[in-house]
């Protein structure tokens, strides 16, 4: 079920109640949580955490998205995952619960609304409220699947396959309906964990094949079928 935020005009209780762990909390847990919450409106591009920083609060995303990524010694970035509405960052959750430093970087991927829970309060709720632990474990299980898929893509898929899949993910509105991908080559490279020059070369190849049209910070997807074929690795042969 998709997450639906209550909106800026709603009360704090209505806003936190949209998160599934709130309703089954004990009255004491609800009171402790409500008294501690802070509403934050975060501008696009705001750096939230750097690698090695302490986690002072847990952020519950209502709208927008938070991009979590790693940076190599050479400065190359790769996106680990995005925290979307109704979620919280699993790395941040682990750091808050275990009092650890943050092992990645986090930035607002667009204008983002969050409810911030102080780390000390969230640890109390995690220890004393089963619904909070269930919420955390559900996030961990889903995020682990995402990270396993990322490892598989990086290790076993060619970059042109990954790029085609990425463009389709960002540009598909409905079956057969595509919208332009409003991203620079540098931004795409950061998500895929490669160099801008690699992305530019492959996009130019896609353009030469008539799959896309390149504009400034904008990629118009022209042929969904060939892109889908390009994004899928060839079938594995089997030995009988």
């Amino acid at each position: 079920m998709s997450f639906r935020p209550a909106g800026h005009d709603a009360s704090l209780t209505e806003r936190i109640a949209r998160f599934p762990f709130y309703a089954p909390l004990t009255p004491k847990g609800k009171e402790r949580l409500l008294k501690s919450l802070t509403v934050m409106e975060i501008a696009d591009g705001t750096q939230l955490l750097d690698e090695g920083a302490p986690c002072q609060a847990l952020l519950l995303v209502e709208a927008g998205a938070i991009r979590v990524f790693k940076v190599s010694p050479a400065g190359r970035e790769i996106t680990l995952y995005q925290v979307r509405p109704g979620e919280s960052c699993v790395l941040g959750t682990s750091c808050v619960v275990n009092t650890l430093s943050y092992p990645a970087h986090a930035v607002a991927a667009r204008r983002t609304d969050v409810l911030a829970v102080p780390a000390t309060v969230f640890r109390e709720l995690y220890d004393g409220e089963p619904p909070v632990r269930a919420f955390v474990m559900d996030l961990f299980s889903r995020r682990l699947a995402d990270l396993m898929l990322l490892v598989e893509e990086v290790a076993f898929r060619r970059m042109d396959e990954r790029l085609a899949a990425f463009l389709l993910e960002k540009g598909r509105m409905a079956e057969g309906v595509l919208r332009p991908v409003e991203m620079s080559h540098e931004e795409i490279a950061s998500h895929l964990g490669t160099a801008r020059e690699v992305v530019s070369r492959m996009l130019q190849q896609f353009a030469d094949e008539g799959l896309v049209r390149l504009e400034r910070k904008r990629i118009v997807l022209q042929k969904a079928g060939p892109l889908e074929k390009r994004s899928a690795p060839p079938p594995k042969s089997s030995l009988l």
Side-chain angles (χ1 to χ4, degrees):
M1 183 180 296
S2 60
F3 180 83
R4 286 183 158 186
H8 290 172
D9 296 333
S11 68
L12 195 55
T13 301
E14 291 173 316
R15 292 175 73 162
I16 190 61
R18 295 302 174 97
F19 290 86
F21 65 83
Y22 179 77
L25 291 179
T26 64
K28 182 179 179 180
K30 289 179 179 179
E31 181 181 10
R32 182 76 171 109
L33 178 60
L34 281 171
K35 286 182 177 179
S36 72
L37 285 176
T38 300
V39 176
M40 299 176 63
E41 298 178 10
I42 305 170
D44 181 17
T46 300
Q47 190 76 24
L48 300 173
L49 280 170
D50 285 315
E51 188 166 353
C55 295
Q56 299 177 337
L58 186 82
L59 304 183
L60 300 168
V61 176
E62 292 186 286
I66 295 173
R67 175 179 170 241
V68 179
F69 61 100
K70 291 284 287 186
V71 181
S72 74
R76 186 175 298 172
E77 298 178 3
I78 182 169
T79 299
L80 300 178
Y81 55 85
Q82 290 204 17
V83 186
R84 304 190 183 278
E87 300 178 343
S88 185
C89 174
V90 294
L91 289 178
T93 303
S94 177
C95 293
V96 165
V97 171
N98 298 292
T99 322
L100 301 172
S101 297
Y102 197 67
H105 300 267
V107 63
R110 57 184 69 93
R111 185 192 175 283
T112 302
D113 298 333
V114 305
L115 300 177
V117 186
T120 54
V121 174
F122 191 81
R123 279 195 294 272
E124 291 176 20
L125 294 173
Y126 181 84
D127 290 338
E129 297 282 350
V132 173
R133 292 197 295 275
F135 173 73
V136 169
M137 293 309 299
D138 178 64
L139 287 178
F140 266 92
S141 62
R142 287 189 281 126
R143 195 60 68 208
L144 180 60
D146 293 340
L147 291 175
M148 289 298 293
L149 179 60
L150 175 62
V151 170
E152 180 179 332
E153 288 188 348
V154 171
F156 304 121
R157 295 184 74 184
R158 299 196 315 263
M159 185 54 67
D160 63 325
E161 294 171 350
R162 296 181 60 209
L163 177 58
F166 180 83
L167 293 175
L168 287 170
E169 176 190 352
K170 296 298 181 183
R172 193 191 303 277
M173 295 181 67
E175 188 64 35
V177 180
L178 301 173
R179 62 184 172 192
V181 177
E182 308 276 355
M183 298 177 72
S184 69
H185 297 188
E186 184 72 38
E187 290 171 324
I188 294 173
S190 294
H191 279 282
L192 296 179
T194 189
R196 178 189 59 78
E197 293 79 8
V198 173
V199 169
S200 296
R201 184 172 67 250
M202 289 187 175
L203 284 174
Q204 186 58 57
Q205 181 179 338
F206 285 5
D208 293 342
E209 296 174 14
L211 306 182
V212 303
R213 186 175 73 250
L214 303 181
E215 301 176 358
R216 179 175 174 79
K217 291 189 176 182
R218 178 182 168 98
I219 301 160
V220 180
L221 309 186
Q222 295 186 302
K223 295 181 179 179
L227 276 173
E228 289 173 348
K229 186 176 179 180
R230 193 65 167 268
S231 70
K236 298 178 181 179
S237 61
S238 59
L239 297 177
L240 300 179

